[in-house]
Amino acid sequence: MRALTASCRLLGGCRSWTSITLLAAALTASGCGDDVTTTTRGDADSETAGDGDGDSGDGDGDGDGDSGDGDSGDGDGDGDGDSGDGDGDTGDGDGDSGDGDGDAGDESCELAPQAMTLSLTGSQALPNSCNSHTFTGRLQNGGGAVWALDACPCDAQCLIPDPYTLTINLPDMDLLPATIMCPKIEMIKNEDCEVESIVIRDLDNNELATWVGSHAPSAPLTMPELSVAPVNGTMCLDHDQYALAFTLDNSDLTLSQGDAGVLGNGDAAWDAKSYASRETDEGPDYSWVLNR
């Protein structure tokens, strides 16, 4: 290399690798460059691993090692053996995480939950109480989203009023409970003293259940004929997504978050909707309604 550098100086400098390569060839032909080693500016395969052709194979013999295919040309044939086109190691992302829908189950991680609030307040059902409560009495006025109630039974006359208020906030108005003049309302609170479920029954119709709203991933204990369970669990980036499977007698219905359907048949049919069915780091997030 010192002889090569000196020759460059005599020639006024070598300004490119091509010049160095041509000069090396000339020195070799003249017998004064036998100890000169040159490298190319290809993909550095001839200096490192490559396939060996650049240094000792036919890459240099036919000139390919210096100018093209041996080192930097169609090197894909050799390069694929080590890293391929990326598919061998990482694929297109579908194998590990799919399209963002999760690692298992059939639920989409893109579904947005909707909020639902339930409230029953009165002398025996205080907002800050942790006790569940069953109200029986009469509807004074209202209905739908806000019921003004009195704990006086429908078949009695009471001198002192005992007012209660039932409030139901839903993302849509279609599934609000039908007006009942003599309701029985079961309010169930969870361990955090929050209203978990409300069941409305009709005292004038053998305490027939007509509406259920719940934040639990299961049916209220006061509805033993109903089964609700999360299914199709899908692991998402920041939460676990589920569908809800409803079973009532011999009728089954599975709803993804945001879906609605009909559970049962004939007079026993319920309109059902799942507003939220997932679990996050902050805790479970469930909201669903049955209405008839």
Side-chain angles (χ1 to χ4, degrees), residues 9-184:
R9 292 174 178 170
L10 290 175
L11 292 174
C14 299
R15 298 180 180 274
S16 68
W17 285 93
T18 302
S19 301
I20 294 176
T21 303
L22 294 175
L23 180 58
L27 290 174
T28 301
S30 62
C32 61
D34 293 341
D35 61 344
V36 176
T37 301
T38 65
T39 59
T40 65
R41 299 182 65 188
D43 56 4
D45 287 344
S46 61
E47 293 179 1
T48 56
D51 59 359
D53 293 341
D55 293 331
S56 60
D58 58 358
D60 290 335
D62 58 8
D64 292 341
D66 291 332
S67 61
D69 299 339
D71 291 333
S72 62
D74 60 358
D76 292 343
D78 298 324
D80 290 344
D82 295 331
S83 61
D85 57 4
D87 293 339
D89 294 333
T90 60
D92 56 3
D94 293 337
D96 293 331
S97 60
D99 57 1
D101 288 346
D103 293 333
D106 301 322
E107 299 307 301
S108 170
C109 294
E110 305 303 320
L111 297 176
Q114 293 181 297
M116 174 185 74
T117 59
L118 307 171
S119 173
L120 175 65
T121 59
S123 62
Q124 299 298 316
L126 300 174
N128 57 353
S129 171
C130 291
N131 296 326
S132 298
H133 179 73
T134 299
F135 167 89
T136 57
R138 65 181 71 181
L139 176 68
Q140 293 291 89
N141 58 69
V146 180
W147 296 33
L149 304 162
D150 194 290
C152 182
C154 285
D155 57 357
Q157 293 185 356
C158 303
L159 298 178
I160 301 175
D162 188 3
Y164 281 73
T165 301
L166 171 68
T167 304
I168 299 171
N169 291 320
L170 298 181
D172 48 41
M173 306 297 288
D174 296 337
L175 292 178
L176 287 173
T179 301
I180 297 175
M181 297 309 299
C182 297
K184 177 180 179 179

